[in-house]
Amino acid sequence: MNIEKLKLPPQLQKILQFWRPIVSLLFLAIILWSSLFQISTEEVGVITRFGKYVRQVEPGLNFKIPLAEDVYKVPVERQQKLEFGFRTSQAGVNTRYNSQSSSTKDESLMLTGDLNLAEVQWVVQYRIDNAYNNLFEVRNPQNTLRTLSEAAMRQIVGDRTVNEVLTVGRTEIGSKSQELIQQICREYSLGIKIEQVVLQDVNPPEPVKAAFNAVNEAQQE
């Protein structure tokens, strides 16, 4: 039994002929749009193909295989920071800080080597120097950096007396903490370079601050 092929009406054929190149151009534009991407001057692009690392690209206009490849933009030239014992609530000329929450209090309260308490507020300034390690070697590198930075600072402060922490030892504490944090970052393969550790403020705990100041004044007199 012969089956005759169905033929579209001439009017419908004209409509299809009109729209076919437009649809083709639109499809090509979508493919091109999803293939090109821009990397800014302070970033590098890490390309994965079906979830597997394949290459790293430099700043500028770059190409990837659509649907098969994904790009992660990593700010390797941007200096970033973590704040401990306080949080910047409003940056600018008149910067405002918040150190009253329970989480910041827990971070800042530390035990010194002579079994006294001190409230230490500090900043860790860092940048990413290995995009691959930062993306794939550790699940959450920023949280890991926060945890190990707090542990390192507690270790350094715990080796010194409260007077050293509050007065002459602040610069040394910052440099020693930077060295220790950098060492742990290398061991964990975080892909992070510690630029600086700065002690923002160091004080005795609020309940004993008045007594501590009175002792200092008596010693000075």
Side-chain angles (χ1 to χ4, degrees):
M1 181 177 178
N2 294 328
I3 300 177
E4 295 182 359
K5 294 182 179 180
L6 295 175
K7 292 185 178 181
L8 296 175
Q11 186 175 4
L12 185 57
Q13 289 182 1
K14 290 182 180 180
I15 294 175
L16 289 176
Q17 290 175 356
F18 174 78
W19 282 104
R20 186 178 295 131
I22 296 177
V23 172
S24 300
L25 288 175
L26 183 61
F27 178 76
L28 290 175
I30 293 173
I31 293 296
L32 185 62
W33 178 262
S34 61
S35 301
L36 298 176
F37 62 94
Q38 180 76 25
I39 300 295
S40 68
T41 54
E42 63 177 12
E43 298 174 332
V44 296
V46 176
I47 308 298
T48 61
R49 184 177 302 156
F50 300 115
K52 182 180 180 181
Y53 171 82
V54 288
R55 66 186 185 278
Q56 181 174 301
V57 295
E58 298 301 320
L61 190 63
N62 294 274
F63 175 84
K64 66 182 180 68
I65 301 174
L67 303 179
E69 293 183 344
D70 295 311
V71 57
Y72 298 89
K73 299 179 181 180
V74 182
V76 294
E77 297 296 334
R78 183 190 310 161
Q79 188 179 79
Q80 305 180 59
K81 69 176 183 177
L82 292 176
E83 298 171 336
F84 297 83
F86 72 100
R87 299 292 185 272
T88 302
S89 57
Q90 181 180 342
V93 178
N94 297 319
T95 305
R96 296 180 182 178
Y97 303 101
N98 177 22
S99 60
Q100 302 303 317
S101 66
S102 59
S103 61
T104 56
K105 288 290 185 183
D106 292 341
E107 289 175 349
S108 62
L109 193 61
M110 297 186 183
L111 187 66
T112 62
D114 55 355
L115 302 182
N116 284 293
L117 292 175
E119 288 187 353
V120 182
Q121 299 176 359
W122 75 100
V123 177
V124 175
Q125 298 175 346
Y126 69 96
R127 66 177 180 84
I128 299 171
D129 67 345
N130 189 312
Y132 176 86
N133 286 353
N134 192 258
L135 284 174
F136 304 118
E137 291 296 326
V138 180
R139 185 179 297 275
N140 194 323
Q142 190 176 63
N143 283 352
T144 303
L145 178 60
R146 175 170 289 278
T147 301
L148 65 87
S149 298
E150 185 176 346
M153 182 61 72
R154 291 187 184 278
Q155 177 180 329
I156 299 297
V157 170
D159 291 336
R160 285 158 178 78
T161 66
V162 67
N163 284 329
E164 289 178 307
V165 174
L166 295 175
T167 55
V168 296
R170 295 177 57 170
T171 302
E172 183 188 6
I173 290 172
S175 61
K176 291 292 185 181
S177 299
Q178 179 179 348
E179 294 174 5
L180 182 56
I181 295 170
Q182 185 64 75
Q183 176 186 342
I184 302 173
C185 285
R186 285 194 294 266
E187 293 174 357
Y188 278 53
S189 299
L190 288 183
I192 286 175
K193 184 180 187 308
I194 306 300
E195 301 281 349
Q196 193 176 14
V197 176
V198 180
L199 269 65
Q200 186 85 354
D201 198 8
V202 183
N203 289 299
E206 197 64 36
V208 299
K209 184 180 290 187
F212 188 86
N213 291 337
V215 171
N216 283 340
E217 290 174 3
Q219 290 176 344
Q220 291 174 3
E221 290 178 1

